[in-house]
Amino acid sequence: MRMSCNGCRVLRKGCSENCTIRPCLQWMKTPEAQSNATVFLAKFYGRAGLLNLINAGAQHLQPAIFRSLLYEACGRIINPINGATGLLCSGNWHLCKAAVEAVLSGAPVTQVSSESAASTMMSPPLKAGDIRHISKDDNSATRARDAQKVKTRGRFKKVELIYFDLAFDPNTKLVPF
């Protein structure tokens, strides 16, 4: 009989031959670090959420997913707005690394105060643009017409297209179909 891995032991979960957590913990040197990391991630993402996130990836990627979740969770505790990506872009990746080492050793991870975060951490560079932006090119008239389409569903899920004319003529008589 094989013993439970440290991750399953702290999660009080049965460990089997095809355990998803065991391969994720092999890069850590001590059993305490394995337990601390698993408990930390289970508190951050929830036990079921952690297992679902790990199982969502391919089997050969699961250790990298575990490690990525650990860095992202530590980054979110230090910098709740931008997380690990914000720490990397602002040149403060050493804070994220120190937080991961603190988690592995069992020490608490502290959040950076908002005043010092605003003064020392820059937010990641944002590109100018807007998701609602529509470029003005040859097809702008077609897009404007398509934006005015209203799709309705009838009894038999037949799709009808109704076009609205922006110029209202009061002399127009409406005739039902």
Side-chain angles (χ1 to χ4, degrees):
M1 183 173 154
R2 193 170 187 175
M3 289 182 47
S4 291
C5 68
N6 290 314
C8 290
R9 188 174 301 126
V10 296
L11 293 179
R12 298 180 182 203
K13 172 187 166 307
C15 191
S16 64
E17 291 286 327
N18 56 356
C19 177
T20 57
I21 298 176
R22 180 176 292 146
C24 299
L25 303 175
Q26 291 177 352
W27 63 275
M28 293 179 228
K29 294 179 175 79
T30 63
E32 292 82 19
Q34 295 174 349
S35 300
N36 291 335
T38 307
V39 168
F40 175 76
L41 287 178
K43 286 181 180 179
F44 193 85
Y45 294 105
R47 179 180 177 234
L50 173 63
L51 294 174
N52 287 338
L53 287 168
I54 292 172
N55 288 330
Q59 192 168 6
H60 69 282
L61 295 176
Q62 289 176 352
I65 292 171
F66 186 91
R67 196 174 211 165
S68 176
L69 291 173
L70 181 61
Y71 276 90
E72 183 57 34
C74 289
R76 288 281 169 195
I77 288 180
I78 295 171
N79 185 353
I81 296 171
N82 296 320
T85 305
L87 292 171
L88 182 65
C89 291
S90 65
N92 292 315
W93 184 246
H94 63 281
L95 296 175
C96 192
K97 284 175 131 178
V100 169
E101 291 301 321
V103 165
L104 295 179
S105 67
V109 178
T110 56
Q111 180 178 355
V112 176
S113 67
S114 59
E115 294 85 25
S116 64
S119 63
T120 61
M121 292 185 201
M122 301 179 329
S123 62
L126 300 175
K127 294 182 179 178
D130 188 0
I131 61 171
R132 296 169 291 175
H133 176 73
I134 299 174
S135 63
K136 296 183 179 180
D137 59 355
D138 314 2
N139 299 329
S140 62
T142 319
R143 282 199 195 113
R145 189 187 69 221
D146 289 346
Q148 296 170 7
K149 289 183 187 176
V150 176
K151 295 180 182 178
T152 60
R153 283 195 342 200
R155 182 174 170 191
F156 299 106
K157 295 185 180 179
K158 178 182 167 188
V159 177
E160 259 181 72
L161 297 178
I162 303 172
Y163 291 95
F164 291 101
D165 191 9
L166 293 178
F168 177 72
D169 184 12
N171 298 328
T172 304
K173 293 183 182 177
L174 296 176
V175 179
F177 303 144

